[in-house]
């Protein structure tokens, strides 16, 4: 087990903000496509890194199409240990660790809001970050 320990350490995360707005004008009974936008930014300081993960759900101008809108921002704190460990090489790992917390927050919040719980899809973190770099 000693050799399998990662040099990347997940210290903690905080929920910086959650904004949920129920749409009283929504009257569509048809299935809807989940519209999610996500962004990740990184604050790197030597061996420490903060990952800021923002998730926006149903933030469209035509609000009658969607039952609610939701924005959340969580911050995860990471560090590395090891002589040759460069924290910037672990961005995708850090997002992959943090994203399930965002999924759980959305599922819990929507189920407690007395609507059908929304479970965010799993993502390919490497592809997500590549797409964000291109944009």
């Amino acid at each position: 087990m000693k050799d399998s320990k990662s040099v990347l350490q997940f210290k903690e995360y905080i929920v910086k903000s959650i904004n949920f707005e129920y749409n009283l004008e929504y009257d569509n009974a048809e299935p809807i496509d989940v519209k999610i936008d996500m962004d990740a930014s990184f604050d790197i300081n030597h061996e420490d890194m903060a990952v800021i993960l923002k998730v926006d759900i149903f933030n469209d101008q035509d609000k009658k199409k969607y039952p609610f809108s939701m924005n959340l921002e969580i911050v995860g704190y990471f560090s590395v240990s090891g002589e040759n460990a460069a924290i910037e090489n672990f961005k995708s790992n850090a997002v992959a660790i943090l994203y399930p917390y965002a999924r759980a927050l959305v599922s819990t919040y929507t189920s407690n809001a007395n609507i059908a719980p929304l479970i965010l899809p799993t993502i390919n973190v490497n592809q997500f970050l590549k797409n964000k770099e291109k944009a």
Side-chain angles (χ1 to χ4, degrees):
M1 188 71 162
K2 184 179 179 183
D3 293 340
S4 63
K5 188 175 179 185
S6 174
V7 296
L8 180 66
Q9 300 300 310
F10 179 36
K11 295 178 181 180
E12 67 175 331
Y13 80 98
I14 60 166
V15 178
K16 186 173 178 190
S17 65
I18 294 181
N19 181 34
F20 177 88
E21 186 175 334
Y22 187 81
N23 183 7
L24 294 172
E25 296 179 24
Y26 177 73
D27 60 359
N28 191 354
E30 296 179 24
I32 55 175
D33 290 328
V34 177
K35 293 198 110 178
I36 300 169
D37 188 29
M38 217 170 62
D39 191 24
S41 57
F42 307 91
D43 184 9
I44 298 173
N45 185 10
H46 302 291
E47 298 171 350
D48 298 313
M49 174 171 57
V51 178
I52 301 97
L53 187 62
K54 296 179 182 180
V55 180
D56 296 320
I57 304 165
F58 299 135
N59 283 339
D60 195 322
Q61 295 300 323
D62 189 0
K63 294 201 179 267
K64 290 184 180 181
K65 290 185 191 178
Y66 306 110
F68 66 91
S69 63
M70 185 174 189
N71 316 79
L72 67 95
E73 184 174 342
I74 59 176
V75 182
Y77 297 96
F78 299 85
S79 65
V80 291
S81 59
E83 292 178 25
N84 296 324
I87 191 119
E88 51 272 344
N89 295 334
F90 293 95
K91 288 179 179 179
S92 62
N93 299 69
V95 173
I97 291 168
L98 199 55
Y99 181 66
Y101 291 94
R103 291 182 75 213
L105 284 166
V106 170
S107 297
T108 301
Y109 205 101
T110 54
S111 67
N112 286 331
N114 200 26
I115 61 173
L118 177 62
I119 300 171
L120 295 181
T122 57
I123 62 168
N124 179 328
V125 173
N126 289 324
Q127 191 62 47
F128 161 72
L129 292 175
K130 284 180 188 175
N131 292 344
K132 285 295 180 181
E133 285 178 10
K134 289 179 186 177

